[in-house]
Amino acid sequence: DAGVTQSPTHLIKTRGQQVTLRCSPISGHKSVSWYQQVLGQGPQFIFQYYEKEERGRGNFPDRFSARQFPNYSSELNVNALLLGDSALYLCASSSTNSPLHFGNGTRLTVT
Amino acid sequence: GQQLNQSPQSMFIQEGEDVSMNCTSSSIFNTWLWYKQDPGEGPVLLIALYKAGELTSNGRLTAQFGITRKDSFLNISASIPSDVGIYFCAGQDTGGFKTIFGAGTRLFVKA
């Protein structure tokens, strides 16, 4: 069975640009969560979506937004990129009250 | 906000030694999780704990959910070189809408 898939794997953007990251959950999982992992730190919670509705939001600015589609895939958008947005962005899927299963992430570099 | 304090930050051990790491929180969690992350990959679930006092094993790994629901530990017995990586604890709130991660314990194993 396919695990969580994320695209692209790597991305380089310039300050001020916008970026869209994509995630496909494990088949049967209806919940998708997004995390930001800066080098040397643990994953920081950004959003959780369940059945296309936002169920949780971390302490991130409004430049970060996300959505979930009817097939449960998800996109994370970041506007007006800053150098500090450079990080590994992880997507995880889960079924109800179950642990998160992560993809391998998208490495975003902002120059 | 919720925070997890994970210790130690790093460990340097000889192959064959046992390892112990722990995680504490100021908040109560309903689920404690332990993940391992290898370079260039997303975190992989090792053990999930669902009940206070629960002790669960997965091969050479053993983890316990603290009786106060504010702490957990992970033990690795007879370490091997492939145990090298970053180990994260994580606490999941009611409903599983938010999972908070510790900063990680970096394990180095010398053959």
Side-chain angles (χ1 to χ4, degrees):
Chain A
D1 287 341
V4 176
T5 57
Q6 293 186 242
S7 63
T9 55
H10 295 84
L11 203 51
I12 299 175
K13 290 285 189 178
T14 304
R15 268 182 304 175
Q17 286 187 317
Q18 173 264 342
V19 68
T20 299
L21 311 180
R22 295 177 176 82
C23 173
S24 292
I26 292 171
S27 177
H29 285 186
K30 298 182 179 180
S31 176
V32 168
S33 298
W34 286 96
Y35 285 79
Q36 181 195 65
Q37 187 177 26
V38 174
L39 199 61
Q41 295 183 19
Q44 297 295 311
F45 174 72
I46 310 176
F47 287 111
Q48 191 203 37
Y49 276 76
Y50 178 76
E51 291 277 16
K52 296 173 286 179
E53 290 192 9
E54 182 183 303
R55 293 299 183 96
R57 184 181 183 117
N59 188 24
F60 280 81
D62 292 343
R63 299 185 296 108
F64 289 77
S65 63
R67 54 180 176 168
Q68 187 177 32
F69 299 99
N71 67 353
Y72 304 112
S73 67
S74 177
E75 287 181 353
L76 175 70
N77 295 288
V78 187
N79 293 324
L81 285 167
L82 304 174
L83 295 179
D85 294 331
S86 295
L88 180 67
Y89 288 85
L90 294 163
C91 174
S93 75
S94 61
S95 53
T96 306
N97 285 329
S98 75
L100 302 177
H101 296 268
F102 285 87
N104 284 329
T106 294
R107 173 71 61 188
L108 173 65
T109 301
V110 182
T111 62
Chain B
Q2 295 171 312
Q3 274 191 312
L4 296 186
N5 298 307
Q6 192 169 349
S7 64
Q9 285 187 330
S10 59
M11 301 182 75
F12 295 80
I13 63 170
Q14 289 285 137
E15 183 178 2
E17 288 184 354
D18 297 344
V19 170
S20 185
M21 58 191 79
N22 65 74
C23 201
T24 61
S25 169
S26 57
S27 304
I28 289 173
F29 289 107
N30 289 322
T31 302
W32 279 92
L33 308 165
W34 286 92
Y35 289 84
K36 178 176 183 261
Q37 187 174 27
D38 292 326
E41 299 184 9
V44 173
L45 181 68
L46 299 174
I47 292 180
L49 302 157
Y50 298 103
K51 214 162 59 170
E54 179 182 352
L55 186 71
T56 297
S57 293
N58 177 8
R60 294 178 297 105
L61 276 60
T62 301
Q64 184 158 29
F65 191 147
I67 201 73
T68 65
R69 294 166 63 196
K70 292 184 177 181
D71 63 313
S72 178
F73 72 75
L74 175 71
N75 287 339
I76 305 173
S77 63
S79 58
I80 59 179
S82 63
D83 290 334
V84 166
I86 306 176
Y87 291 80
F88 291 103
C89 63
Q92 197 172 61
D93 64 358
T94 305
F97 293 133
K98 193 173 182 181
T99 303
I100 305 299
F101 283 77
T105 293
R106 285 145 187 81
L107 180 63
F108 302 89
V109 180
K110 188 176 178 181

